[in-house]
Amino acid sequence: MCPDCHNPHSSNVEKLLSPDMPALCIKCHEKEEFSRRDVHGPVGIGMCLDCHEPHQSDEETLLIKAIPMLCYKCHREAKFTKKNIHPPVQEGRCMECHTAHSSRYNSLLRDRDNSVCRLCHPQVFEEPHAMSGMKGKGHVLRAEKDPKRRREPFTCASCHEPHSSNWPRLYRYKASEPFEMCAHCHGSK
C-alpha cells in the first residue's frame, strides 16, 4: 500500500513521493474530477494537501477539517455569517450547491446557476416572482446581463445573496420588502 504513493528507495520529490502532487492523486482519482472548466484554486496548482490528509482523518474524504471550517481557511467567514444565513450554509452543507474540485459551471456550482436554486425552491419557478398581485408573468428569472454586476448574467443571485445577507429573504441590496429591491436596478420614481 505505501509503495502506491512512495518510492521506498529514492525519489526527487519530498517524502519519497512518486510522482509529485497532483499527478500522484490522479493515479487513483479520475482526472476529469480535477479538470472541468471552473477549477478550484488550490486544485489548479496542485495543493491537494491544503484540504486533505494523505493518510488518515476523522473527516470524510480525508479532509483536514470539517466543512465549512475548512472553507473558511481561504474564504472570508464574514461573507457567510451575516444576519440572515441561507440554511444550507448555516448547516455547513456547502457541497449541496458546490463541488470541491472542479465544475462545468461558474463558482464551482453543481449545476447552472438557477438550476441549483430550483432544487430547493421549485415554487419560485412555477408562479410569478416578486410581482404577486400584478398583471403579467412576474420578474424575469434569467437574462443575459445583470444590470448591477458587470459581466454576470441575470439570475437568482442578482437579487439574492446565495450565502448570507443583512437583509430579509437574503436580498443582495438594502430592502425589507420585494418592491424596495426594484429601485436598485430600475431607479426610484
Side-chain angles (χ1 to χ4, degrees):
M1 191 85 161
C2 298
D4 289 345
C5 298
H6 301 275
N7 184 327
H9 302 290
S10 70
S11 172
N12 293 331
V13 180
E14 185 180 345
K15 299 181 182 174
L16 297 174
L17 291 178
S18 176
D20 200 359
M21 308 288 274
L24 176 64
C25 302
I26 294 170
K27 283 174 62 176
C28 296
H29 300 283
E30 290 188 36
K31 186 175 184 174
E32 182 192 7
E33 171 68 20
F34 307 98
S35 58
R36 294 181 190 105
R37 187 180 62 82
D38 192 25
V39 178
H40 196 195
V43 172
I45 56 175
M47 296 175 61
C48 307
L49 298 180
D50 272 17
C51 297
H52 297 278
E53 291 285 354
H55 300 114
Q56 67 180 31
S57 171
D58 291 334
E59 303 298 330
E60 279 187 47
T61 62
L62 296 174
L63 292 176
I64 61 172
K65 290 183 181 180
I67 294 172
M69 297 316 290
L70 174 63
C71 305
Y72 297 154
K73 279 182 58 184
C74 299
H75 300 277
R76 289 189 332 244
E77 187 172 357
K79 181 179 177 183
F80 304 92
T81 57
K82 294 177 183 169
K83 183 178 176 184
N84 297 292
I85 304 171
H86 198 198
V89 174
Q90 191 165 27
E91 296 164 13
R93 298 179 301 159
C94 307
M95 305 330 294
E96 284 191 17
C97 298
H98 298 279
T99 62
H101 301 116
S102 71
S103 174
R104 293 176 31 212
Y105 309 101
N106 291 336
S107 304
L108 295 172
L109 288 174
R110 291 195 165 279
D111 205 342
R112 184 175 181 223
D113 45 58
N114 289 358
S115 296
V116 172
C117 304
R118 187 187 301 256
L119 294 172
C120 296
H121 307 283
Q123 74 285 358
V124 170
F125 299 86
E126 295 167 5
E127 57 192 42
H129 190 64
M131 303 279 288
S132 298
M134 297 184 75
K135 290 183 179 180
K137 296 180 181 177
H139 199 283
V140 64
L141 297 176
R142 181 128 197 12
E144 195 171 312
K145 292 183 180 181
D146 183 321
K148 298 287 281 183
R149 299 179 310 145
R150 293 180 58 178
R151 295 190 224 39
E152 294 285 340
F154 186 89
T155 66
C156 298
S158 296
C159 298
H160 301 277
E161 284 284 355
H163 302 110
S164 73
S165 171
N166 286 324
W167 316 113
R169 298 181 179 153
L170 297 173
Y171 291 141
R172 180 171 287 281
Y173 308 105
K174 183 178 180 180
S176 49
E177 296 296 328
F179 289 107
E180 290 177 19
M181 289 289 293
C182 302
H184 292 282
C185 293
H186 301 286
S188 57
K189 293 186 177 187

